[in-house]
Every structure is written in structure tokens, then in C-alpha cells.
Amino acid sequence: MSYELKHVFASLPQMERGVAKVLAGDPKGNNFLYTNGKSVIIRNINNPAIADVYTEHPHQVIVAKYAPSGFYIASGDVSGKIRIWDTTQKEHLLKYEYQPFGGKIKDIAWTEDSKRIAVVGEGREKYGAVFLWDSGSSVGEIVGHSKVVNSVDIKQTRPYRLITGSDDNCTAFYEGPPFKFKCTFSEHGRFVNCVRYSPDGSRYVSAGADGQIFMYDGKTAEKLGALGGAKAHEGGIYAVSWSPDSTQLISASGDKTVKLWDVASGTAVTTFSLGSDVLDQQLGCLWQRDHLLSISLSGFINYLDKNNPSRPLRIIKGHSKAIQCVTVHKEDGRSVIYSGGQDGHINYWDAETGENEGITGKGHSNMVAKMAVDESHRLVTCSMDDSVRYTDLSKKEYSASDLVKMDVQPKAVSVGPGGLAVAVCIGQVVLLRDKRKVFTLENLGYEPEAVSVHAGGVTVAVGGADGKVRLYSIQGNTLKDDGKVLEAKGPVTDMAFSKDGAFLAVSDEKKVVTIFTVADGYAVKNDFYGHHAKIVCLAWSPDNSHFASGGMDMLVFVWNVNDPEKRIKIPDAHRLHHVSGLAWLDKHTLVTTSHDSCVKQWALKI
């Protein structure tokens, strides 16, 4: 019994309106990286479905940068911690950890010999530091600013120079090492969001919230002019990135465009228009070899096309907020994974290639709590926006007629044959048939938490916060209490009948999964112990002899129904994030989702 990680479908960057996002590349030009929550995500630039996730920061990570050697990455978080870790090993061993100042780290820069690191941000006493990577010893001071420093860069050729840009509308210039303050420039009328040196070190630029880009001599800091004259963009500029040959650069702006500049003439050669919605504001960019990338406020990563500026070559989509639930469905012989997020967004993924897209149209406006696919190939979802939705998977778009409004907030939904679905809401159990509410049970005397419909479509099991499971029979369009109550070990968190209807699995807050045998009048078959914290989700394998459980302890177990000792334990399935959803692609492949916004596939040898 063993397992291996087969695929990671990574989260998008976590975006905030009006806040720049640093998108960084590796020195070889194969990967790019960004942050989301406590994770640093490394993706292959040619095939973004190939991803690696680093999750060792205890706090939200803001920025990560490769060392020019390519062997290490430095990442900084909101608490002011810098972690320097290895890129060559799968374990990403920690090399050094420092706390240069107390407060959010916003940008990082390395010297070209990978020996010195500059960090800037929202310190309490100071807004930046420069130190040796292997000892933490200071090699200069970052002074001269009166507010938060947003951006830093170091000239990649000797003699070294360092530049910073701040909320005090100024850029500062330092000579070194050790780096000493030389002068400041206050050309910008608003915050300076980004400063970047050209790869050859001959020039550097500063870009600001005033829509301007100024250019300076890389060695002397003499001002050389402004790109685009009085204004480079109509909106604030959040990021710039140079071409590898130092002759061009791209800039990303809140005016929803990215511009490609010819540095010698100071004019825009190409303007990439990326939409008209507020979510199309561009907050980050990267020029990596032949690839031009930008990030929208939506979190989408755009691969820009120089030959067709009105339409990106490809757009990488996914989740930027926590994933709450998952299910799978076979379509035209291919397995498709559906995942629902805390923000109401539903994404679907080709299980083999990782190609993904969101369901189109106006959908849920709040967290998707549970989802299932019925026999009519409809995705049935319930959400904290007090609704249950039916989405036709052949069309993959929302429709207003597929919305069923609930009286109160639904927590879970389960589907059965003949267009049947049962939703448990706060204080209610609701029977639905063919997209209509047909029966509601109220005044239950307990709080329902989980539900599962038997494959035969005649029995519904409802799990309560009182640690009991009640069985109801479906009679036409009504639910009748069978008077049968099963005892769980604690408040029920999830439950599921096996595909063949032989067993009922119930998980609870007391970290136990109990299996009941349906044919024996729901006699207890086995209790399964192993989790260290509340179990959140359950899923049966297609062969009905195994099931998986996931919990707040970041553990996933794959159990053998007949032998609780025979199990596969996947520790840290989503490190530092609890497992939120489970689904089986086939009897040897398990899908897990989590609050780290990633979808993972595990190959199991059972």
C-alpha cells in the first residue's frame, strides 16, 4: 500500500486591488513563480500544468525571487521573515531564515553572485535591509524614505548599485557594497510601485501610480527621460519587466493594458488590451525568454501575443481563493474534475492535461459548500448564497432558470436517481426533484449537517450535530422518518453511501469514521481511527471496498473497508492547510482539494 503525487494543479496568485504583484522568473527561463496565501507556487512556463508548491511559511507570503545561480529561492512574508530554500531537492530544504525587520516584506533582490540580498517593505523602525545570504550580516543601509518601500532592485553588473521606490513618491539610489545612500529623486506625483534594472545594468526605470515611467543611467542615476512623454499609461503602473537584451520592456497598468516599449525611442511599440472589467486591471508582469506574461486582478495569468495584442495566446485560470469541495465526472471518455471555491467560483479541469476553465455566466455569489453530478449530467451545487444550482455540463454555463432559492442557507447536497436531490439547510431537510423544491422537513429537533442519498433512491441518511444519523424514506415527493437512528461517535461532519449502496460511511468531529452495513439493518461494521483532528470529508472508491477521509490535520487516509489496519496514510497532503474535498477518478487515483487553492492527484497502489 503506497502512494505518489501524480499532478498538482496550482492556485492562481492572490490579488488585491491597487496592490502590485511580483511575478518572478528563474535564471534559466524555464519557470516562473508567485505567491498565494502561505504558498509559493513554481510553474513551468511552457506547460503551466506542471507545478510545485512550497508551503513552509507560517504566515502569508508576499514575494519570492530566485537567486541568480538558480539553486535557491528567497521568499518573504507579512511578519517580516525571509526564508532561503533549496530549489534542486523535492523537499525544498531550508538553508537560512532571517528577520531583517518586523513587518510586511514587499520585494526582494539578489546580487548577481547570489551572495547578498536586499529586502524592503513595511518595517516599524526601518523599511529595508541588505545582508549576506549565508550569515545575515548587514552590508549597507536602506535609508532616505519616510514611508513604506514597495520595490527594490540591484544592478546585475559591477560596480553594484541599488535602487528603491516608495509610497513617499520617491526613488532612492545607493552605491556599494556596503550600500550607502547617495540621493533621492521625487519626479513621481504618486506612489512608486516598481523599480527595475535592465539585465545589462546600463539603465533602470521607475514606475508609479501616476502612470509615469522614468528612466535613469544605471551607474550614475542621471535622469535620461520618460517613456511615452508626459504619461505612459492612463492608470497607475504596477510593474515593469525588461527584455533579456535590455532594449525593450513591458509595463502593466490599472488601465487594463500592458504596453511594450522600445527603450531607445521611448515609445510604445505595442499595446495589449486585456478587457474592460475592473478585474482586467493588470497588476504584475514578467518577460521570460520569449514569453510575455501579465497578471490580472482576477488572478488570471495572461500569455501575451505580440502578433495579436487584443487577444492573449493563452490565459491560465484556476482558483485564487480556498477550494471548498470537489467532484469528478466522465465526459467523452475523459475525466473532468470540478472544484468549488470560497468565493463562489467553480472551475473544471481536464484530469490528464490540467487544462482548465471556469463555468461561464453569473453563478454563485458566495462559498460553494458541496457539489455532486446527477445522472442527467448536471452539476448540482449548494452555496452560502442560499441557493442550489443545476448546471448542464454539456454547456458549462450558468442559467437563471437553473437556480433554486432556499429559505435558509444550505450546508450540503446529495443526488439520487430520477432527478432527485436532497439538501440539508440550517434547521431544514429539503427534497428537490427536477430543479424544484417538492418537500421540506422543518422543526427537526436537531441541526442537520450532512446528507447522503442511497443509490436505490428510496433512502436518505441525514447526519446531525447531535452525533446521530437519521434515516428517511423517499415516498413519492415526500420524506418520511423511518424512526431509525444510528449513533456516530460525535457531531457528524460528512457521510456517504458506497456506490453499490452496501455501506454507509459517517465521519465525525471525534476523529472517527464509522461504517454501517446496510443489509444488516445498519449494524456497525468497523470504526476507523487515525486522524488527529476533525475529519472534514469522505469519498468512496469506485470498487466500494476502499474509501478516503480527509481532515483538519492535513492528513488523508485511504482505508480498506474490511480491515482498518490496512490503510494508506498521506501526511501533509496539503501542507499547513486542511483537506477540504476528496473525489476518486478511478480506483487507483484520488483527487484532493484544500484551502491552499490547489487540486492534487495521488496515484495509489492498493
Side-chain angles (χ1 to χ4, degrees):
M1 306 260 291
S2 65
Y3 69 89
E4 68 169 325
L5 183 58
K6 190 172 158 191
H7 289 304
V8 178
F9 297 155
S11 66
L12 294 174
Q14 196 166 11
M15 307 303 288
E16 204 181 319
R17 190 168 176 185
V19 178
K21 189 74 183 178
V22 177
L23 193 56
D26 80 324
K28 295 192 178 74
N30 301 327
N31 300 326
F32 64 98
L33 74 167
Y34 54 82
T35 62
N36 180 320
K38 297 174 188 171
S39 308
V40 178
I41 291 106
I42 306 168
R43 298 182 85 158
N44 182 298
I45 201 154
N46 293 313
N47 181 5
I50 300 170
D52 192 2
V53 183
Y54 176 81
T55 54
E56 296 297 315
H57 277 272
H59 302 284
Q60 185 189 352
V61 200
I62 302 297
V63 59
K65 288 271 185 80
Y66 270 94
S69 67
F71 297 135
Y72 296 99
I73 287 172
S75 49
D77 65 26
V78 291
S79 74
K81 278 227 167 45
I82 281 270
R83 293 177 73 92
I84 300 167
W85 41 280
D86 175 87
T87 61
T88 57
Q89 311 289 317
K90 208 165 74 181
E91 293 77 31
H92 297 311
L93 299 170
L94 179 68
K95 189 79 174 162
Y96 301 106
E97 185 176 62
Y98 302 112
Q99 179 116 22
F101 50 80
K104 185 191 287 186
I105 289 173
K106 298 195 77 173
D107 202 5
I108 297 170
W110 293 75
T111 51
E112 46 73 43
D113 58 5
S114 302
K115 292 201 168 115
R116 299 169 195 82
I117 298 176
V119 299
V120 296
E122 297 180 13
R124 292 188 186 94
E125 289 85 34
K126 56 180 187 173
Y127 301 118
V130 198
F131 53 88
L132 291 171
W133 85 293
D134 54 357
S135 67
S137 307
S138 175
V139 282
E141 288 190 286
I142 292 183
V143 293
H145 287 297
S146 58
K147 286 186 179 166
V148 177
V149 179
N150 296 317
S151 187
V152 64
D153 206 12
I154 295 174
K155 182 167 168 275
Q156 294 296 295
T157 53
R158 289 176 185 271
Y160 291 149
R161 300 285 185 264
L162 186 151
I163 46 169
T164 53
S166 162
D167 272 8
D168 62 11
N169 304 357
C170 295
T171 57
F173 181 77
Y174 307 78
E175 293 181 347
F179 290 100
K180 290 190 178 66
F181 172 73
K182 190 83 172 127
C183 56
T184 58
F185 297 93
S186 48
E187 265 93 359
H188 285 282
R190 294 188 62 200
F191 303 158
V192 182
N193 289 324
C194 188
V195 289
R196 289 293 178 258
Y197 259 104
S198 60
D200 65 6
S202 64
R203 301 181 177 92
Y204 71 86
V205 292
S206 64
D210 55 2
Q212 293 188 293
I213 302 174
F214 295 110
M215 192 175 315
Y216 304 85
D217 181 278
K219 195 170 158 191
T220 65
E222 179 195 341
K223 188 180 168 192
L224 300 175
L227 296 185
K231 222 162 188 203
H233 280 273
E234 289 306 308
I237 301 168
Y238 292 99
V240 293
S241 185
W242 286 84
S243 64
D245 65 4
S246 302
T247 63
Q248 296 179 306
L249 60 85
I250 52 173
S251 56
S253 167
D255 65 8
K256 312 175 189 69
T257 68
V258 172
K259 288 189 179 181
L260 171 59
W261 299 90
D262 175 69
V263 172
S265 65
T267 55
V269 184
T270 312
T271 300
F272 304 93
S273 300
L274 288 140
S276 54
D277 191 82
V278 69
L279 290 173
D280 297 318
Q281 292 183 357
Q282 300 301 300
L283 300 181
C285 61
L286 174 68
W287 193 318
Q288 181 81 321
R289 276 198 189 159
D290 306 329
H291 298 284
L292 306 184
L293 272 56
S294 74
I295 318 178
S296 305
L297 175 57
S298 60
F300 293 170
I301 302 165
N302 311 296
Y303 282 62
L304 306 175
D305 185 353
K306 287 187 202 170
N307 302 320
N308 183 4
S310 60
R311 193 156 174 206
L313 287 165
R314 70 193 295 182
I315 301 174
I316 307 301
K317 298 184 180 179
H319 290 277
S320 56
K321 299 277 195 316
I323 300 175
Q324 203 60 35
C325 53
V326 64
T327 191
V328 297
H329 182 50
K330 273 259 194 300
E331 292 167 27
D332 304 326
R334 294 184 78 84
S335 293
V336 179
I337 299 166
Y338 290 87
S339 51
Q342 235 171 19
D343 53 0
H345 177 72
I346 296 175
N347 216 60
Y348 57 93
W349 316 74
D350 183 300
E352 279 308 308
T353 65
E355 290 287 321
N356 70 75
E357 188 57 75
I359 292 178
T360 55
K362 192 166 164 43
H364 288 297
S365 59
N366 207 328
M367 185 179 94
V368 184
K370 273 279 192 259
M371 52 169 55
V373 178
D374 69 11
E375 58 185 20
S376 305
H377 308 300
R378 293 179 302 204
L379 184 67
V380 184
T381 53
C382 71
S383 161
M384 282 174 70
D385 62 9
D386 299 352
S387 72
V388 171
R389 274 187 176 276
Y390 290 79
T391 308
D392 183 341
L393 293 184
S394 61
K395 296 197 181 98
K396 293 190 174 60
E397 65 177 297
Y398 297 112
S399 137
S401 62
D402 296 336
L403 175 78
V404 182
K405 207 75 186 121
M406 293 289 164
D407 303 330
V408 283
Q409 185 180 307
K411 301 176 181 178
V413 67
S414 179
V415 297
L420 190 75
V422 179
V424 295
C425 307
I426 297 170
Q428 292 185 343
V429 180
V430 182
L431 179 68
L432 301 110
R433 200 182 284 278
D434 296 323
K435 303 197 283 196
R436 282 198 354 268
K437 281 192 286 189
V438 292
F439 188 76
T440 303
L441 274 176
E442 291 184 287
N443 306 321
L444 300 169
Y446 69 96
E447 185 53 53
E449 295 290 341
V451 62
S452 185
V453 179
H454 188 273
V458 291
T459 305
V460 178
V462 177
D466 57 357
K468 294 179 169 55
V469 175
R470 292 162 178 83
L471 298 172
Y472 298 90
S473 55
I474 299 170
Q475 299 182 352
N477 281 346
T478 59
L479 287 173
K480 184 171 179 296
D481 190 340
D482 285 353
K484 184 146 183 79
V485 177
L486 314 176
E487 296 286 340
K489 299 286 186 288
V492 176
T493 56
D494 198 11
M495 59 198 307
F497 280 106
S498 57
K499 309 275 192 282
D500 61 1
F503 303 111
L504 174 65
V506 178
S507 66
D508 60 53
E509 285 187 19
K510 294 279 194 268
K511 306 174 280 214
V512 186
V513 181
T514 307
I515 299 292
F516 299 93
T517 308
V518 175
D520 291 350
Y522 292 90
V524 174
K525 180 175 175 64
N526 271 319
D527 290 325
F528 295 78
Y529 295 86
H531 282 281
H532 309 317
K534 182 168 109 173
I535 301 169
V536 179
C537 48
L538 285 174
W540 282 92
S541 88
D543 67 3
N544 300 302
S545 59
H546 295 86
F547 66 93
S549 60
M552 302 285 278
D553 51 9
M554 304 174 286
L555 284 173
V556 171
F557 281 103
V558 178
W559 307 91
N560 183 319
V561 174
N562 298 311
D563 186 355
E565 297 306 310
K566 275 193 172 171
R567 64 188 195 186
I568 297 176
K569 178 183 180 180
I570 306 178
D572 285 338
H574 294 258
R575 183 145 171 73
L576 297 181
H577 297 83
H578 80 251
V579 181
S580 61
L582 297 165
W584 294 75
L585 283 173
D586 55 55
K587 67 178 183 183
H588 295 296
T589 315
L590 181 67
V591 179
T592 61
T593 59
S594 163
H595 286 192
D596 64 3
S597 315
C598 295
V599 177
K600 293 188 179 183
Q601 285 182 45
W602 306 85
L604 308 173
K605 286 198 177 71
I606 295 174

